Amino acid sequence: MRSEQVVLAICISAMVCLLVTGTYATAADPTNPSQGRGQTVEGAPTPSLTTPVPDPVENLETRLGTIEEWKAKIERLPSLSNKFNIGLNALQFLYTHQDAHVAEGKSQDNLSIRRSEFLMYGKINEYVPRGHALMEFQSNGLTANTPGCNPGTDCTNRTQNAAGTPTTANYFRETYIDFRPIPGIAPNLNVIRMGVFRMPWGIFTETTGGLRDIVSTPFLNTVGSGGGSKNSTAGQIDFLQERDLFADVRGTVANRLEYVGGIMNNNNVFSQNVGSNGPKVGYGRVRFLATDISFISFTTLQGESNNEGTQNNGRGKGVFDRYGVDFRYTSRYLPGFMMQGEYWQGHDGQNQTTVGLPAQGACENQVQCGGNGAPGVMRRTWYAYAKYYISSGPLEKWEPVVMYEQFDPNTKVTNDLYTRTILGLNYYFENLPPKIQTKLSIDYEFRHHSGSGPGTSVPNTDPFAQNIFLVQLQVRYQ
Amino acid sequence: MLVILSFTLASCVSSAQIVSETPTGGTVLYSYFEEQDVLTSPERKDALRLLVAKCPSGYSISREGQLAQIDKAVDRAWMGQVSRDGQPNREKRWAIQFACK
């Protein structure tokens, strides 16, 4: 006990000594101007007051260059760009006002979270150059299954054949592995990609929501609402699903020709839970790069689809194909100007159905087979848009966008067109290192829907026939 | 047929080109993908060959460096938008300003 007291006393003494010495050392700080003339310091002479001070404007370019260089270095830090990355792919808050009539007590104004996507990705080594997982955390609902019909019953009778029940929700929007079998021949054979991801069909389908220039989803991905009709013109149609479970091979030849060839379930992301829709569907795309920022590409999908168990609206039983051409022109002569377009057409098999409604087989007798009872149908769609980013002047960082698109659900039927003209304005907030992009998008859409065939018209509740105003604020980190 | 046509077109594209030219010099441009390829890539050799062809009695390089993909301000705003294959474009451009001796 006594020895502990001695140790304690020694410790206290030592601390007091350190305190006094430290105080003295501080007091003897030669850089302190209040210490008088007794403390002289040797070293470099104090700069004369007459020495010219560099003009900060004069070397502005050099200083900006240094900052750019620093920013580039920060972005290349391994923790930010290589092994493991984590962040928001897109967080989008959306306001919409639509003229479509709604039931009493409901509003035409809507506030929502459009996307809340959490992304992780990274490079493991040369053989696995990318692993990628994206989860969506908006208020996900359950998607119904699409049942078949009980034998010998009326497929349209909901007592005998109930509509699909809520089945599955997908938080895992995307997850894939890139495997590079022979690094020595990359990028000619670059990677084998396996998983669920945005499909390489055209431009829009492959572009993440955080990088799109308009708020709405294009018609080529999804159009229409409600159930189908006997001539395949009505109801929701998912002409090209955005995501699917697939395996494909990707590469680049001579730095100017990119190719993709693969096979997929053709049942959207939900086939993880509900199974493949039918026989597999193959797809391929070649993209010719006219420059490093402008290209034209050709895509095809070939196979067979099914109506029972489908998670894609408007799919029937039978031959399934798609043919597409797309292009993008990015100008260096007029920096900030870009335009792109896509043209698609394709065949959906007999007796298409809407997800959740029972359908089974290719017959056109709805009592027997459900669905819309229509024969196979050819659909066609195209769009074109242009935008210009203003990089100087009072409108700096604003970007006007103009888009026109059209969807023909049945090329053999008249008075069934969906058309839309979009006038948009984007504003890019200051970009921050490492990779944060905040963007405000304001769009007004002039929508028109002719009808569901000759002599028909659409109700004033049809959202594809009524104009809409959208405002969206987005934060994106990647 | 389409693939053959695309391959033919792809093989016709030169990897290096003189983008501005005066009687006594100019600027040559080539593309590259990785930082370590700037000085060793075949594209640079193509660019230097163009310089030799333009200046048979020799040349001096006055300045060289990486160019913005489109424009500094546009690149910053469109971060990742000018993409291919769902990923940001990896292709970069290097410019050499030269004068003939």
Side-chain angles (χ1 to χ4, degrees), chain A residues 121-405:
Chain A
Y121 66 95
K123 175 180 176 177
I124 307 302
N125 54 36
E126 284 306 313
Y127 290 93
V128 186
R130 189 172 169 106
H132 170 118
L134 182 142
M135 289 162 282
E136 184 140 17
F137 286 108
Q138 61 182 340
S139 302
N140 282 3
L142 291 172
T143 302
N145 60 11
T146 306
C149 300
N150 295 316
T153 61
D154 178 356
C155 200
T156 60
N157 185 324
R158 292 289 163 263
T159 309
Q160 293 175 320
N161 291 287
T165 51
T167 303
T168 176
N170 270 67
Y171 289 92
F172 254 108
R173 284 281 167 164
E174 296 167 3
T175 181
Y176 67 79
I177 298 167
D178 277 351
F179 172 59
R180 184 173 286 157
I182 313 168
I185 61 168
N188 293 325
L189 193 164
N190 195 20
V191 292
I192 297 170
R193 179 167 292 179
M194 297 158 283
V196 53
F197 189 51
R198 288 187 169 277
M199 301 307 290
W201 308 329
I203 307 171
F204 246 122
T205 306
E206 196 179 34
T207 304
T208 178
L211 290 178
R212 290 181 176 183
D213 297 312
I214 58 160
V215 177
S216 290
T217 303
F219 285 162
L220 60 86
N221 287 135
T222 186
V223 67
S225 57
S229 67
K230 188 79 179 168
N231 61 5
S232 302
T233 58
Q236 190 172 339
I237 300 163
D238 301 329
F239 188 66
L240 288 170
Q241 69 268 30
E242 290 188 341
R243 298 177 177 89
D244 215 298
L245 276 115
F246 67 90
D248 64 28
V249 180
R250 298 166 184 233
T252 307
V253 178
N255 289 329
R256 283 289 173 263
L257 186 76
E258 291 181 347
Y259 68 86
V260 184
I263 196 163
M264 64 169 169
N265 272 340
N266 200 29
N267 203 11
N268 218 313
V269 293
F270 302 104
S271 47
Q272 179 79 13
N273 305 71
V274 299
S276 61
N277 174 242
K280 298 287 178 289
V281 168
Y283 58 90
R285 177 179 75 185
V286 287
R287 172 166 287 171
F288 171 65
L289 300 150
T291 68
D292 58 322
I293 51 176
S294 298
F295 55 78
I296 182 167
S297 32
F298 307 90
T299 312
T300 186
L301 287 69
Q302 300 287 337
E304 192 176 328
S305 68
N306 201 355
N307 44 15
E308 182 187 351
T310 186
Q311 290 294 327
N312 295 316
N313 292 286
R315 296 287 165 84
K317 168 73 179 169
V319 174
F320 168 88
D321 61 42
R322 300 285 185 265
Y323 298 91
V325 183
D326 64 74
F327 79 94
R328 173 182 283 170
Y329 170 70
T330 312
S331 178
R332 285 204 171 99
Y333 300 103
L334 182 60
F337 177 76
M338 192 197 90
M339 64 181 296
Q340 73 179 47
E342 293 182 53
Y343 178 93
W344 285 91
Q345 75 171 33
H347 181 266
D348 273 321
Q350 248 174 308
N351 195 27
Q352 304 95 39
T353 193
T354 303
V355 172
L357 295 181
Q360 195 165 53
C363 79
E364 295 172 23
N365 181 346
Q366 289 178 287
V367 171
Q368 191 182 334
C369 295
N372 64 2
V377 64
M378 182 69 80
R379 309 192 199 271
R380 184 177 297 148
T381 182
W382 67 271
Y383 78 83
Y385 86 75
K387 66 171 186 169
Y388 178 65
Y389 176 76
I390 302 166
S391 51
S392 61
L395 293 175
E396 187 183 355
K397 295 176 186 168
W398 286 96
E399 181 184 71
V401 186
V402 182
M403 175 168 172
Y404 178 79
E405 67 176 329

Side-chain angles (χ1 to χ4, degrees), chain A residues 93-97 108-112 469-472:
Chain A
F93 183 74
L94 176 67
Y95 163 77
T96 62
H97 172 88
Q108 292 177 316
D109 298 285
N110 189 32
L111 295 172
S112 62
F469 174 66
L470 307 103
V471 180
Q472 179 174 278

Side-chain angles (χ1 to χ4, degrees), chain A residues 68 176 211 213 250 253 255-258 289 292-293 298 328 330 332 336 387 389 399 428 431 437, chain B residues 2 6-7 10 13 33 43 69-70 73 76-87 89 91 93:
Chain A
E68 288 288 332
Y176 67 79
L211 290 178
D213 297 312
R250 298 166 184 233
V253 178
N255 289 329
R256 283 289 173 263
L257 186 76
E258 291 181 347
L289 300 150
D292 58 322
I293 51 176
F298 307 90
R328 173 182 283 170
T330 312
R332 285 204 171 99
K387 66 171 186 169
Y389 176 76
E399 181 184 71
Y428 294 84
N431 288 293
Q437 184 193 64
Chain B
L2 200 61
S6 301
F7 269 93
V13 178
F33 290 85
E43 288 77 13
Q69 195 173 30
I70 300 169
R76 241 188 344 259
W78 288 357
M79 210 167 22
Q81 266 183 311
V82 182
S83 63
R84 292 160 17 188
D85 194 19
Q87 307 296 332
N89 194 353
E91 187 171 341
R93 300 180 307 149

